């Protein structure tokens, strides 16, 4: 059997990143989606049938879509390596090499399931307790020319509906830190025009977003324009923090004529020309040179 890496699969992975989880016991292997919105529920069921050629089960007042199949569980757990719970989720590595249409399908589904289109703020926001997942989504967004920003809440308890669920299950709720990935300014319409949203409410709000010409940031209490050159955006440093550590650190310089010839580290949407890749390359060569 052949499983194509296409837009349907990537959409399903996007819904899983937003609303899915997986579990395994001695008797069962499951991949499940928790969804209440009827349009998205039908969309996920259709995708499961198209991608895996199987029909999922509906349970718990038809808010839970479950695939009871060990092969599918192993695909999500070990091949796609999506993470099995909210805190361990990340984007599948296959998306980093997939076509641009696949990235768009994944992000569209993620916003459908766990994002908001905030027309009053002219913004699109994605949420997760997994910062690693949002880091991966931010990387996918850079591939389609979209710059995003992070925000993090203080520890807090879930909303009213989730608290009612905890009460029904007779389980103590846990406070959690929620991470936001925010797209605004000119990026919001760049992203909007590349999305395919199935949530009627979010699609309607997306049509209300306004085109903005310049990227801005809040610095010293006022909004200022960000300088741009090509596809690089020059941001402002708002604070510098020293993090003490007793771990060993190694620094190795590799000769270069131009900064562009250096290895580049990508993280937090920041390009860094001094990174451990230089050191790793030299250390890996060392054994060959000694022998």
């Amino acid at each position: 059997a052949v499983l194509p890496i296409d837009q349907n699969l990537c959409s399903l992975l996007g819904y899983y990143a937003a609303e899915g989880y997986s579990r395994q016991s001695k008797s069962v292997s499951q991949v499940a989606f928790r969804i209440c919105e009827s349009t998205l529920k039908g969309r996920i069921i259709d995708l499961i049938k198209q991608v895996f050629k199987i029909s999922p089960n509906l349970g718990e007042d038809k808010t839970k879509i479950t695939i009871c199949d060990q092969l599918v569980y192993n695909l999500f757990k070990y091949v796609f390596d999506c993470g099995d719970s909210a805190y361990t989720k990340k984007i599948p590595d296959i998306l980093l090499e997939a076509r641009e249409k696949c990235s768009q399908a994944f992000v569209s589904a993620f916003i459908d399931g766990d994002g908001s289109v905030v027309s009053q703020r002219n913004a699109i926001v994605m949420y997760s307790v997994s910062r690693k997942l949002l880091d991966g989504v931010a990387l996918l967004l850079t591939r389609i020319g979209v710059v995003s920003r992070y925000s993090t809440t203080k520890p807090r308890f879930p909303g009213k509906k989730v608290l009612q669920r905890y009460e029904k299950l007779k389980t103590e709720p846990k406070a959690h830190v929620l991470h936001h990935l925010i797209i605004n300014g000119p990026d919001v319409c760049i992203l909007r025009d590349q999305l395919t949203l199935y949530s009627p409410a979010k699609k309607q709000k997306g049509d209300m977003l306004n085109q903005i010409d310049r990227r801005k940031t809040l610095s010293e209490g006022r909004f200022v324009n960000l300088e741009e050159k090509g596809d690089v955006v020059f941001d402002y440093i708002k604070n510098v923090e020293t993090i003490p550590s007793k771990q060993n650190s190694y620094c190795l310089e590799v000769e270069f004529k131009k900064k562009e010839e250096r290895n580049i580290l990508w993280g937090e949407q920041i390009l860094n020309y001094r990174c451990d890749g230089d050191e790793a390359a030299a250390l890996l060569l060392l054994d060959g040179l000694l022998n």
Side-chain angles (χ1 to χ4, degrees):
V2 176
L3 181 65
I5 309 302
D6 58 12
Q7 293 178 59
N8 286 336
L9 174 61
C10 292
S11 291
L12 190 59
L13 292 173
Y15 286 118
Y16 179 85
E19 303 289 359
Y21 65 91
S22 55
R23 70 184 187 93
Q24 186 177 51
S25 65
K26 292 181 180 180
S27 59
V28 68
S29 300
Q30 294 182 340
V31 174
F33 302 80
R34 177 75 66 177
I35 195 84
C36 295
E37 213 278 340
S38 58
T39 303
L40 298 185
K41 192 187 307 178
R43 168 71 174 158
I44 293 172
I45 292 171
D46 288 343
L47 286 171
I48 293 170
K49 291 178 179 179
Q50 291 178 50
V51 173
F52 297 119
K53 313 301 181 190
I54 57 177
S55 296
N57 300 318
L58 287 177
E60 300 184 20
D61 298 326
K62 296 184 178 180
T63 64
K64 181 182 176 184
I65 304 168
T66 307
I67 307 171
C68 297
D69 187 285
Q70 186 172 0
L71 177 59
V72 174
Y73 170 84
N74 287 335
L75 281 171
F76 277 81
K77 174 74 174 179
Y78 301 108
V79 178
F80 302 142
D81 192 21
C82 303
D84 52 13
S85 67
Y87 289 92
T88 61
K89 285 181 182 176
K90 68 181 192 67
I91 68 165
D93 290 342
I94 58 171
L95 285 170
L96 300 178
E97 299 180 8
R99 293 172 299 168
E100 191 173 284
K101 291 289 186 182
C102 290
S103 298
Q104 294 169 349
F106 178 91
V107 173
S108 297
F110 186 75
I111 293 172
D112 256 341
D114 226 356
S116 296
V117 180
V118 191
S119 53
Q120 301 93 328
R121 291 171 50 197
N122 209 58
I124 296 174
V125 186
M126 288 168 265
Y127 312 93
S128 179
V129 294
S130 170
R131 176 59 187 267
K132 189 172 185 179
L133 172 61
L134 293 187
D135 282 339
V137 174
L139 178 56
L140 292 182
L141 292 178
T142 62
R143 295 182 62 187
I144 56 178
V146 174
V147 176
S148 51
R149 292 185 172 278
Y150 299 100
S151 176
T152 301
T153 68
K154 294 180 179 179
R156 64 183 186 184
F157 287 101
K160 184 178 179 181
K161 289 186 178 180
V162 179
L163 286 176
Q164 289 174 348
R165 183 66 183 167
Y166 273 105
E167 185 177 350
K168 187 176 181 180
L169 296 173
K170 297 180 180 180
T171 305
E172 286 293 323
K174 297 180 180 179
H176 62 274
V177 171
L178 187 64
H179 304 287
H180 298 185
L181 188 65
I182 305 164
I183 299 93
N184 52 24
D187 297 287
V188 74
C189 285
I190 296 173
L191 177 59
R192 188 267 318 268
D193 293 343
Q194 300 186 65
L195 295 177
T196 303
L197 299 178
Y198 284 82
S199 167
K202 293 175 184 177
K203 190 176 187 306
Q204 183 181 18
K205 289 181 180 179
D207 294 336
M208 298 168 62
L209 296 171
N210 297 317
Q211 181 67 51
I212 306 295
D213 294 330
R214 292 293 302 271
R215 293 185 175 101
K216 297 177 181 289
T217 189
L218 188 63
S219 178
E220 298 180 349
R222 63 189 182 91
F223 283 98
V224 294
N225 291 329
L226 292 176
E227 296 297 325
E228 302 178 34
K229 187 175 182 180
D231 59 354
V232 176
V233 179
F234 299 93
D235 210 342
Y236 281 70
I237 296 174
K238 295 184 178 180
N239 68 291
V240 178
E241 181 182 358
T242 300
I243 302 175
S245 175
K246 294 183 179 180
Q247 293 182 340
N248 293 329
S249 177
Y250 303 91
C251 186
L252 178 69
E253 286 290 346
V254 175
E255 290 185 2
F256 65 96
K257 294 181 180 179
K258 299 179 181 178
K259 286 185 177 181
E260 292 78 7
E261 296 173 354
R262 299 293 305 274
N263 287 325
I264 296 174
L265 175 67
W266 187 95
E268 303 270 342
Q269 299 181 72
I270 298 172
L271 295 177
N272 187 353
Y273 289 103
R274 290 188 64 185
C275 67
D276 294 337
D278 295 337
E279 298 156 24
L283 291 172
L284 288 170
L285 281 171
L286 187 61
D287 182 63
L289 294 171
L290 290 174
N291 288 286

